[in-house]
Amino acid sequence: MEKRRHIAFAGVSVAMVLLTAACGSGKDNTAGSADVQPAGGSQTVGAGASASAGAGAAAGASGGYQAGGDTGAAAGGESGRTGPAKRLAVKENAALGSFVTDSEGWTLYRFDEDTPKPAKSTCNDDCATKWPAVPADDAAATAGIDAGELGSVTRSDGTKQLTLAGWPVYRFAGDTKPGDTKGQGVGGTWNALAPDGKPAGTSAAADDSLQLMVNSNAELGKIIVDGKGMTVYRFDKDSAWPMKTGCLGACLDTWKPVKAVDTTKVAGVDAAKVTSFKRPDGTRQAAFDCWLLYTFTGDKKPGDINGQGVKGTWFAVTDKGKKAGQ
């Protein structure tokens, strides 16, 4: 009798291992199947449902971001940080697509609170220490940049700052070496500069070449974003195994399921961990490492992380599938 009990227990253990492995196998999971179920009646459905966009914005604001952002890093050496840009260059990476650097490879940025028409810089004083303005003199376009889009704006201190497509151009003191893009997404208002003057990470997604990718956020580190650069989240009241959704009904007004993605169109994440889940309404939702992915209606533009920590149950997702900030 005891021997049979041990054999039965071993069989259950093997079955659990096989089901767990299947979650990351790249196959679709269907609500209501043996290993994927809709949320049970006893579970509080959509605890995030009462979290309005306004609440999310308040959560994002709790970090105390002000103009200039919280760099989270001290400025390194000043070589290449304060001088003219000289010959601009266009670089590429999977997360941002095309973005502009100076002649030494330092990433150049734009600030959403500035304006291009008329050109105006609003980053001064402490902000300007964290985000040094790029001088307007000795700047030249290169392949991929329209020389006619280069210009200048007079700052409040009387100095001339380089502009691209009307947008004032900055470097980031938190970048410690050429090629760093640590300023991307800071405060939801700072972005690497695309060659057309738009925020990098959005123009690259316009051709739908990527559906999931990784963004380096100054506060949360490497987090997953969708093809439009919007932060994706996971919900503590979902379940990774067996896969369940706890966001139903009114919850879906605030938290939008990410549509199932083509695993050949992901970058920066393990494609083998990208799966899909058939929701009770029959739609397919993307999952990473078995956690269902959502976007937040309180995020208005790429780089926003207003959904982080809402109700203590919603979190951005790291490139490893973990809860960001934990």
Side-chain angles (χ1 to χ4, degrees), residues 2-21:
E2 186 68 24
K3 183 175 181 180
R4 285 198 298 273
R5 187 179 296 114
H6 285 307
I7 292 173
F9 179 77
V12 171
S13 299
V14 170
M16 289 178 69
V17 170
L18 290 175
L19 284 172
T20 302

Side-chain angles (χ1 to χ4, degrees), residues 39 43 45-48 212 224-226 230-239 243-249 251-259 277 279-280 283 285-288 290-299 304 307-308 313-317:
Q43 185 172 12
V45 175
L212 277 184
I224 300 176
V225 299
D226 69 8
M230 302 301 290
T231 302
V232 303
Y233 300 87
R234 48 178 276 185
F235 184 31
D236 277 356
K237 294 195 175 184
D238 285 349
S239 172
M243 290 178 74
K244 299 178 183 179
T245 175
C247 184
L248 299 166
C251 175
L252 298 173
D253 294 335
T254 303
W255 303 92
K256 302 298 184 181
V258 175
K259 294 181 180 179
F277 169 77
R279 295 186 58 82
T283 59
Q285 181 175 3
F288 183 69
C290 303
W291 284 97
L292 305 184
L293 303 180
Y294 304 81
T295 54
F296 179 48
T297 57
D299 288 341
D304 281 357
Q308 175 68 9
T313 55
W314 290 93
F315 298 91
V317 185

